[in-house]
Amino acid sequence: MADYEQANANYEKALLLDPRSVSVQLTLANIDLELGNFGQAFAQYQEALTASASPKDKLDVYNALEKYYVKQGQIKKSIEYMHLKMTEMEKFSRRCWCYFAE
């Protein structure tokens, strides 16, 4: 438990340096999830989703929310995020193909 708490303190400092860092926000949310702080984890996932500027960021957040809801036992909600993730993956792959087709 102390390791998670130390990691949390370190990532909180990192977030002060870059408040819009989706990867730091996701890590903080995952730590909260492991500590059983589900409300804090969810709030951090929502912050990460708001900060998501790229398709990859959105994919990462949707993937994390999918796992969050599985851990909560809310399978229907998890499936919703799985569908969002798949939709975003489809958009992302189309952009990649367009880039290579040029």
Side-chain angles (χ1 to χ4, degrees):
M1 185 86 82
D3 289 340
Y4 281 120
E5 290 166 356
Q6 182 60 49
N8 192 55
N10 291 337
Y11 277 97
E12 286 287 348
K13 290 176 187 173
L15 194 59
L16 291 174
L17 296 172
D18 187 2
R20 306 245 341 132
S21 172
V22 173
S23 64
V24 171
Q25 291 171 339
L26 286 176
T27 301
L28 282 167
N30 291 335
I31 291 169
D32 281 328
L33 189 60
E34 287 302 316
L35 291 172
N37 302 328
F38 299 111
Q40 286 178 254
F42 183 76
Q44 198 67 55
Y45 288 132
Q46 292 302 313
E47 288 289 323
L49 189 56
T50 300
S52 294
S54 72
K56 184 197 177 309
D57 286 345
K58 284 185 181 174
L59 283 172
D60 290 344
V61 176
Y62 291 154
N63 189 53
L65 281 164
E66 178 187 347
K67 291 176 183 178
Y68 168 85
Y69 282 113
V70 165
K71 196 158 189 150
Q72 292 288 316
Q74 297 182 35
I75 303 306
K76 286 183 181 180
K77 201 73 171 154
S78 175
I79 291 170
E80 286 177 31
Y81 279 97
M82 181 182 67
H83 284 290
L84 286 169
K85 180 177 73 175
M86 293 172 75
T87 301
E88 199 63 36
M89 286 174 69
E90 186 178 313
K91 289 183 213 173
F92 184 68
S93 64
R94 260 191 258 134
R95 287 184 201 133
C96 289
W97 280 112
C98 290
Y99 173 78
F100 287 115
E102 292 179 345

